[in-house]
Amino acid sequence: MHTVMSGAGTRAELSPAAAVRRHAVRRGEAVALVYRSPAVGGAAGSTVTEVSYRELDDRSGRLARALVDTGVEAGDRVAYLGLNSPALISTLLACSAVGAVFVPVNHRLSADEVADVLADCDPRVVVAEAGQEVLADAVVPGLAVKAVLGVGEDGRAPGARPPLGAEPVPVGEDTLAALLYTSGSTGRPKGVVLTHGNLWWNCVNVWSSLDTRPDDVVLVAAPMFHIGGLNALTLPTLLRGGTVVVHRAFDPRACLDALVTHGVTGFFGVPAMFAALADLPEFPAADLSRLRCAVVAGAPVPPRLIRRYAGHGVLLQQAWGLTETAPFATYLPPEETGARTGSAGVAMPYTQVRVADPADPAASAAPRVPGEILVRGPNVTPGYWNNAEATALSFTEDGWFRTGDIGHLDEDGYLWVVDRLKEMIISGGENIYPAEVERHLTELPGIRDAAVIGVPDPTWGETVAAVVVPEDGGPALDAVRDALAARLARYKLPRVLVTVPALPRNGSGKTDKPELRRWARAGTWPAGTRTETTAAGSSREDERNTHALAAR
């Protein structure tokens, strides 16, 4: 554990509340947060406020007092219902100050889903941002919740309580800091256990690898109930005394304005967010000269998006990780962006990554041979809340976390993520990774966005369906197949082309593949959808698949 020595003895330095208190004492007027409430369509009409470190420490201290007054003790869970705001950050800091466990709940969940999360984590208190109290009051009855505390967007606690006078409680590397619930789109959500050590070591990895500095100004528009919004750049910046520009939600025009107006140096987002920014007519003239840490992760990054930003003087820096790795496991330095476009980079300094045979995790795969990606290090979760079975299945006997992602390492140790193991399509005995097909689809003219799923096929079990968002009408299926034929094996070519107005996305901005599969199964595509299908016949392609099937 990292500590500092003072005349009073040894004090733990893992606590976010302790770090903010230190900045409040030493440089209290420095700006900790810049908060912009959303204004649909851009900055016009929005309200921008600044919160100093002294103010942030005071507000979180008063909220910590409110938690203690309602009976919260170290180890108790405190759920937060709301969007990105100073209230979310104050709640996190208040939990840290008293040793409670912060549980940010996805604000996009239904009331039943919220109730499931609260029943699982069993919070002592629910902190509800303005507008969320009705939801809280609806789901709390029947649960062992002592109180619902309403807070404003600014994070001010209810009543006129004084700040908690005591110093933030010391925390160790194994002290539980947060529970982050994974998306429930594929089943019941799981609570990922993150310790203070997990959060801290991710910060150390970021400080050691990315071009971050104590005076950084970072923009957070990704939802902070996800680990990317919370700990990719937000906490690493606050712990060092920088400024975090907080947007309640992602609005491309408002974000582009903030990048320019505030001279933002760091921004984390998924590819869809960066694409939406680049599509704005204002983008070519926008001054992004201070944006030196533009991190893109969460989904495969189309090469043309990387080229588009490079043409504007911004090197998108690819990274890979999961909620369970808090989040960064690998990172591609900006100087490697051109030479290794598409790679997720190398392992973070204090994290180990290897690729294993999915059937035998003890056996490492040879260079360039795909396998399951395994991760080990102090940033990796110890497991899942109240779910010993899922925890046991997710770790090897010697402590490697099984990510469920498929990828390979090249001879130089750079990771190339292929796809999720569960997304793999098996057609005629051949393994097809949707991300590989998607990467080539997004390079084709007339295709703005694309996703690939497997759909049932009477002959081959599954076949490839491309779901695309078109530009200028979009290409026909035959044109897509002809264009991809030189880049992909025939069995990987789409037999089905579905043209939709937009792809569904989950709370983190990723393409919602389970929703696409539900649309496909039920035939409930959105209005305006077009579908083309190439029937299977006795073509050379089918003969080739038959040979492949027979050879297995």
Side-chain angles (χ1 to χ4, degrees), residues 358-390:
D360 182 10
S364 294
R368 301 193 180 276
V369 175
E372 184 177 11
I373 307 170
L374 308 184
V375 183
R376 187 168 64 181
N379 59 310
V380 177
T381 177
Y384 299 100
W385 181 256
N386 284 338
N387 199 332
E389 181 181 4

Side-chain angles (χ1 to χ4, degrees), residues 215-511:
D215 61 350
D216 274 336
V217 178
V218 305
L219 171 64
V220 56
M224 284 191 278
F225 59 76
H226 282 303
I227 190 63
L230 186 68
N231 202 36
L233 295 176
T234 303
L235 278 180
T237 300
L238 286 174
L239 265 58
R240 295 179 86 184
T243 299
V244 178
V245 181
V246 180
H247 283 201
R248 283 180 68 75
F250 175 66
D251 176 273
R253 187 163 280 108
C255 282
L256 185 63
D257 177 74
L259 290 171
V260 176
T261 302
H262 299 292
V264 168
T265 60
F267 178 58
F268 168 87
V270 299
M273 295 169 67
F274 280 97
L277 290 171
D279 286 340
L280 293 172
E282 303 94 332
F283 180 78
D287 179 8
L288 302 181
S289 58
R290 294 195 63 192
L291 184 59
R292 51 179 155 73
C293 193
V295 183
V296 58
V301 185
R304 71 174 176 183
L305 183 64
I306 295 172
R307 294 193 297 268
R308 196 170 183 182
Y309 272 84
H312 196 58
V314 176
L315 296 178
L316 294 186
Q317 296 159 48
Q318 298 168 87
W320 171 81
L322 307 92
T323 304
E324 289 88 343
T325 58
F328 290 133
T330 68
Y331 168 73
L332 184 68
E335 62 270 17
E336 299 279 3
T337 299
R340 299 183 191 267
T341 298
S343 170
V346 295
M348 285 298 214
Y350 300 98
T351 302
Q352 296 173 285
V353 174
R354 71 182 181 89
V355 174
D357 182 341
D360 182 10
S364 294
R368 301 193 180 276
V369 175
E372 184 177 11
I373 307 170
L374 308 184
V375 183
R376 187 168 64 181
N379 59 310
V380 177
T381 177
Y384 299 100
W385 181 256
N386 284 338
N387 199 332
E389 181 181 4
T391 299
L393 291 173
S394 297
F395 287 88
T396 65
E397 292 183 357
D398 53 350
W400 288 88
F401 176 70
R402 303 187 64 169
T403 68
D405 278 358
I406 294 294
H408 68 264
L409 292 167
D410 64 21
E411 292 80 1
D412 299 319
Y414 285 79
L415 179 68
W416 302 78
V417 181
V418 178
D419 215 327
R420 290 290 293 168
L421 182 60
K422 64 186 178 183
E423 303 287 353
M424 186 175 69
I425 301 167
I426 303 177
S427 181
E430 296 284 359
N431 295 342
I432 302 169
Y433 298 107
E436 179 188 15
V437 184
E438 290 165 357
R439 185 171 66 253
H440 291 295
L441 281 169
T442 56
E443 291 288 288
L444 299 183
I447 294 179
R448 185 184 193 87
D449 202 357
V452 167
I453 59 174
V455 294
D457 184 274
T459 304
W460 309 115
E462 285 186 295
T463 194
V464 176
V467 186
V468 304
V469 179
E471 286 181 333
D472 303 324
L477 176 56
D478 286 345
V480 169
R481 287 170 58 85
D482 289 344
L484 295 181
R487 312 177 191 184
L488 295 170
R490 297 285 297 179
Y491 66 85
K492 299 179 183 179
L493 301 181
R495 285 189 179 278
V496 180
L497 179 68
V498 183
T499 302
V500 296
L503 294 177
R505 298 197 180 276
N506 60 23
S508 62
K510 302 177 187 178
T511 302

Side-chain angles (χ1 to χ4, degrees), residues 203-226:
C203 292
V204 175
N205 273 332
V206 168
W207 299 330
S208 302
S209 301
L210 282 66
D211 187 3
T212 58
R213 305 171 192 177
D215 61 350
D216 274 336
V217 178
V218 305
L219 171 64
V220 56
M224 284 191 278
F225 59 76
H226 282 303

